[in-house]
């Protein structure tokens, strides 16, 4: 399958998708660790994630998918939300909690 | 390895900034960017604007990570009271 198509399906089929370096249990980059912690703080401890270090095709493809050159990348309900800076700002403003509210209750 | 001054110059050359400050250790950088171009754009659009300027350096791997705080001039004035 084409990698862009694969990513499209992943973000479409999962309410929360995080493309990161390492895993939620063992992040291998400080920014990815921050992203995981923020999701947990929003009441979303479990979510779909892709370790781009083990998926070089996705690591390259995800940068074109959102026209965004860095990892991590968060998608909620199929929409690109941002990287760790934007996640932190949205969390501090309470926006991310609102965005994730419906999802957090189900988990 | 890139120096903060180098990253600062690349951003300044590609984006008109009212205020620009870049710090970093050669691997991870932090930038505070104030530009009139940010007015009316959301966070993603602002970072995409800056990332476009730095694209070649991200692609080559020279630049690994850049944290950004992006403000329009009005937001910047307001945040400084």
């Amino acid at each position: 399958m084409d990698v862009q198509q694969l990513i499209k399906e992943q973000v479409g089929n999962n309410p929360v998708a995080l493309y990161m370096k390492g895993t939620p249990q063992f992040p291998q980059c400080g920014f990815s660790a921050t992203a995981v912690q923020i999701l947990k703080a929003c009441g979303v401890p479990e979510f779909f994630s892709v370790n781009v270090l083990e998926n070089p095709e996705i690591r390259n493809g995800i940068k074109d998918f959102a026209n965004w050159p860095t990892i991590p990348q968060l998608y909620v309900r199929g929409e690109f939300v941002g990287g760790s800076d934007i996640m932190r700002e949205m969390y501090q403003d309470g926006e991310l909690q609102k965005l994730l509210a419906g999802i957090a209750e189900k988990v | 390895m890139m120096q903060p001054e180098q990253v600062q110059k690349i951003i300044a050359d590609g984006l008109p900034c009212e205020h620009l400050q870049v710090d970093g250790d050669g691997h991870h950088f932090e930038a505070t960017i104030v530009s009139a171009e940010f007015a009316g754009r959301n966070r993603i659009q602002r970072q995409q604007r800056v990332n476009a300027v730095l694209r070649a350096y991200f692609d080559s791997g020279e630049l690994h990570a850049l944290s950004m705080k992006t403000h329009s001039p009005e937001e910047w004035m307001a945040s400084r009271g």
Side-chain angles (χ1 to χ4, degrees), chain A residues 1-11 65:
Chain A
M1 192 192 297
D2 173 64
V3 69
Q4 295 297 321
Q5 187 63 32
L6 173 64
I7 293 168
K8 195 175 177 185
E9 290 192 8
Q10 289 175 336
V11 302
F65 186 77

Side-chain angles (χ1 to χ4, degrees), chain A residues 11-94:
Chain A
V11 302
N13 293 339
N14 296 283
V16 178
L18 184 69
Y19 294 81
M20 61 180 293
K21 292 180 178 172
T23 64
Q25 289 73 33
F26 297 103
Q28 293 184 42
C29 167
F31 297 99
S32 289
T34 298
V36 171
Q37 284 181 344
I38 290 172
L39 284 175
K40 284 182 182 168
C42 291
V44 184
E46 290 186 23
F47 46 85
F48 175 81
S49 68
V50 174
N51 179 358
V52 300
L53 297 178
E54 291 183 352
N55 296 274
E57 284 190 12
I58 291 182
R59 182 178 185 172
N60 285 323
I62 196 72
K63 297 179 182 182
D64 293 326
F65 186 77
N67 189 24
W68 194 262
T70 53
I71 310 289
Q73 293 186 16
L74 176 69
Y75 294 79
V76 175
R77 299 183 187 90
E79 293 279 328
F80 177 55
V81 175
S84 61
D85 287 348
I86 288 178
M87 288 179 69
R88 187 188 289 115
E89 281 184 29
M90 288 180 72
Y91 177 67
Q92 285 167 351
D93 293 347

Side-chain angles (χ1 to χ4, degrees), chain B residues 3-80:
Chain B
Q3 298 303 317
E5 296 75 20
Q6 199 182 350
V7 177
Q8 179 151 346
K9 182 171 188 318
I10 295 163
I11 296 173
D13 287 348
L15 175 70
C17 299
E18 270 73 18
H19 173 84
L20 176 61
Q21 176 67 44
V22 179
D23 299 304
D25 61 5
H27 296 287
H28 297 86
F29 297 93
E30 289 184 14
T32 301
I33 307 167
V34 181
S35 172
E37 284 198 23
F38 291 155
R41 295 191 184 193
N42 67 28
R43 292 186 181 95
I44 291 174
Q45 291 167 333
R46 292 175 182 194
Q47 290 208 16
Q48 280 176 330
R49 177 69 181 86
V50 180
N51 287 335
V53 173
L54 293 163
R55 176 78 197 229
Y57 300 89
F58 279 116
D59 283 349
S60 71
E62 277 181 278
L63 188 56
H64 163 66
L66 173 69
S67 286
M68 292 180 225
K69 288 190 166 62
T70 54
H71 308 277
S72 68
E74 290 75 19
E75 292 163 357
W76 179 242
M77 291 295 286
S79 73
R80 285 150 63 93

